[in-house]
Amino acid sequence: MAVTTALRRVGAALVAIAVIAAGVAITIAVRHHGAAVPSCLVSAGGSTYTLDVEQAANAATIAAVGKRLGLPDHAVTIALATSLQESKLRNLDYGDRDSLGLFQQRPSQGWGTRTEILTPSYSAAAFYRALIKIPSWATLPITEAAQKVQLSGAPTAYAQWETEARTIAIATTGEAAAALTCRFSLPRTTAAAPIVTPTMANELGVSSLDGTFAQPRGWTVATWLVAHAQQFRITTVSFHGQEWRASSGKWRAMTASDERVRFEQQVAST
């Protein structure tokens, strides 16, 4: 009888532990479900595409470099279509033979060193420099212009990305307002947020946000900040009466509007 009672007590204890464990698992699952999954959304020209944070940041860099070089938005569309085909907008450290980076450029073919090609702003500028050397590039179909730069074994492959590339270009060059948004959560940290200015100056050609910006230039800058927000731990960006928040992943109307681009970064925990 004593043995039976002891076994019952052990069984009851095991059930209790299982219930507690299940409760902890449910709690963890709920918390995980409620956390923001890092992602970005591009909506422009009647089309919508989802990108991950890395893709959005690289797309914004490609667009920023194109505008810094004074090129038209069509050049940005060609570059984006090319990168979508070659790397899916990812800075790959591998490829066919010695191909690397966003555009799968080859050091052996004179595109630059491995380190240079794996720097997105460098590889984008290298692509644009090659593009503008092509006679009448601005009037060529996107896939033809891309192929003349890339000399790919699949010369018509770039055409499949034209609509997506154009949509992303509209958003990242500021043709459309508040057309790119990202949502993510930032873990608490005691470290100070990274300094934005050097990268912003290198890619956008903008070293200060103290002045005002005309549209669409202001939206190019604001969109670049949103696309790179996770990297620089940016929590809010505002311009022209609109404010984006990382926590919601949305732009919302705000009262103040003085044509300045503003942003806030995560404050380090003490």
Side-chain angles (χ1 to χ4, degrees):
M1 191 70 172
V3 174
T4 302
T5 301
L7 289 173
R8 286 176 177 171
R9 288 176 179 171
V10 171
L14 291 174
V15 170
I17 292 171
V19 170
I20 292 171
V24 171
I26 291 172
T27 300
I28 292 173
V30 170
R31 288 177 179 172
H32 178 73
H33 180 73
V37 177
S39 65
C40 301
L41 199 68
V42 180
S43 297
S47 299
T48 299
Y49 295 92
T50 299
L51 305 174
D52 63 29
V53 173
E54 177 193 359
Q55 291 173 310
N58 288 330
T61 292
I62 290 170
V65 172
K67 301 312 293 180
R68 175 173 60 79
L69 295 174
L71 297 175
D73 295 349
H74 181 61
V76 175
T77 301
I78 295 170
L80 288 168
T82 303
S83 184
L84 280 163
Q85 170 61 25
E86 299 292 352
S87 69
K88 302 297 187 292
L89 289 174
R90 300 190 188 283
N91 192 26
L92 303 179
D93 63 356
Y94 61 89
D96 179 49
R97 288 172 282 189
D98 59 338
S99 299
L100 297 165
L102 293 172
F103 299 92
Q104 290 293 278
Q105 295 157 335
R106 300 178 60 191
S108 64
Q109 300 301 306
W111 285 99
T113 66
R114 178 183 177 87
T115 299
E116 287 172 334
I117 292 172
L118 288 174
T119 302
S121 59
Y122 175 92
S123 63
F127 177 87
Y128 288 124
R129 286 195 296 269
L131 175 66
I132 61 177
K133 290 179 181 178
I134 298 169
S136 304
W137 68 267
T139 59
L140 292 175
I142 289 173
T143 191
E144 288 187 27
Q147 172 60 12
K148 286 183 179 295
V149 175
Q150 299 296 105
L151 303 177
S152 169
T156 62
Y158 306 101
Q160 64 185 309
W161 302 104
E162 287 188 17
T163 301
E164 183 171 355
R166 181 58 185 149
T167 300
I168 298 172
I170 291 172
T172 53
T173 61
E175 284 188 54
L180 181 146
T181 185
C182 297
R183 182 173 183 247
F184 55 85
S185 58
L186 293 170
R188 292 170 63 87
T189 178
T190 58
I195 298 173
V196 180
T197 308
T199 305
M200 186 171 67
N202 175 54
E203 298 189 3
L204 282 165
V206 175
S207 57
S208 172
L209 298 181
D210 290 340
T212 59
F213 289 89
Q215 300 184 70
R217 181 59 171 165
W219 281 116
T220 301
V221 176
T223 299
W224 184 93
L225 288 167
V226 171
H228 290 84
Q230 188 178 56
Q231 174 187 353
F232 292 104
R233 288 165 40 200
I234 295 171
T235 56
T236 67
V237 176
S238 61
F239 177 68
H240 195 63
Q242 296 280 335
E243 182 184 64
W244 164 86
R245 289 182 177 271
S247 57
S248 66
K250 295 179 180 179
W251 289 91
R252 65 179 181 86
M254 58 183 298
T255 303
S257 176
D258 61 2
E259 305 310 299
R260 288 183 61 186
V261 177
R262 293 182 169 87
F263 70 94
E264 295 179 354
Q265 290 176 280
Q266 181 188 36
V267 177
S269 304
T270 55

